[in-house]
Amino acid sequence: MRLSTVVIGSALLFSIGFSLPAISQAPEQIEESQLNGNVKSLRLEIRKLRFNRRLWRKQKITNYRYTLTNSCFCVPEARGPVIIEVRNGKTVSVTSEATGEKVNPDFFQNFDTIPELFNVIRDAINRRADRLDVEYDAKFGYPTNISIDYKFQLADEELFLSVTNFEVIE
């Protein structure tokens, strides 16, 4: 009885041993190939960020207004669209586009100036987001669309920001 248990146990270990290298190697190869593509993509986003941030700074715009929409998995009040007005580089108002009423500025504190939007992009790069896609305004350099998926395996942590109706104000 004891001999048959040892034989069966040995056979099982032996068969599992043949399976282990195939099981352990495949995920590593997939992760490495995704990382290489992700690193290349992030390098491109770094170049785009640097170029457009310089373009924005060169404009020396301190008074402006834009509409921001946050397509997140968050409370409706944090989605917008909201109209953000900035004077002398500081946010002076955040109002609902639909009602014209002030909204809780805390929901938009990370997105309430153009430099803050650049910081969101930089943060995604620093965190090595699994996917980062950004579109920029060709004239002023500010981001018009930011799409971030920090981790493919996690649900509801994605961020999608849209900037429209940008205008310089006096």
Side-chain angles (χ1 to χ4, degrees):
M1 187 80 152
R2 191 167 209 270
L3 182 62
S4 64
T5 305
V6 170
V7 171
I8 293 171
S10 296
L12 284 172
L13 284 174
F14 187 71
S15 66
I16 291 171
F18 278 120
S19 301
L20 282 178
I23 293 169
S24 65
Q25 287 177 3
E28 288 173 12
Q29 291 171 350
I30 292 169
E31 289 174 10
E32 186 175 316
S33 68
Q34 288 174 341
L35 178 63
N36 289 338
N38 189 38
V39 169
K40 289 176 187 175
S41 173
L42 289 176
R43 285 186 184 143
L44 174 61
E45 290 302 335
I46 289 169
R47 286 194 301 273
K48 288 168 46 179
L49 173 63
R50 287 179 180 158
F51 175 85
N52 286 287
R53 186 180 273 176
R54 275 193 298 267
L55 180 58
W56 170 256
R57 287 179 179 156
K58 200 164 116 177
Q59 309 291 325
K60 297 184 181 184
I61 301 170
T62 58
N63 300 317
Y64 54 93
R65 168 184 313 122
Y66 61 94
T67 303
L68 176 81
T69 304
N70 182 4
S71 300
C72 61
F73 295 98
C74 52
V75 296
E77 295 82 19
R79 294 184 193 142
V82 294
I83 299 169
I84 297 175
E85 187 169 321
V86 177
R87 297 279 182 169
N88 296 317
K90 305 284 185 204
T91 305
V92 295
S93 71
V94 181
T95 57
S96 167
E97 183 183 59
T99 65
E101 295 178 16
K102 289 188 181 228
V103 298
N104 184 346
D106 293 341
F107 289 132
F108 301 96
Q109 67 183 352
N110 293 328
F111 322 120
D112 64 359
T113 66
I114 297 301
E116 286 290 335
L117 292 172
F118 285 124
N119 291 342
V120 168
I121 299 163
R122 172 49 86 181
D123 177 67
I125 292 168
N126 289 343
R127 291 170 57 184
R128 293 182 179 238
D130 285 346
R131 193 188 88 244
L132 172 64
D133 296 309
V134 184
E135 296 173 17
Y136 296 91
D137 179 78
K139 181 178 178 182
F140 295 112
Y142 64 87
T144 57
N145 288 295
I146 302 170
S147 176
I148 304 170
D149 188 349
Y150 292 98
K151 296 288 178 200
F152 288 142
Q153 285 81 18
L154 293 179
D156 302 343
E157 77 346 314
E158 300 89 358
L159 180 65
F160 307 99
L161 300 171
S162 174
V163 174
T164 56
N165 304 319
F166 177 87
E167 62 179 305
V168 178
I169 53 178
E170 296 305 319

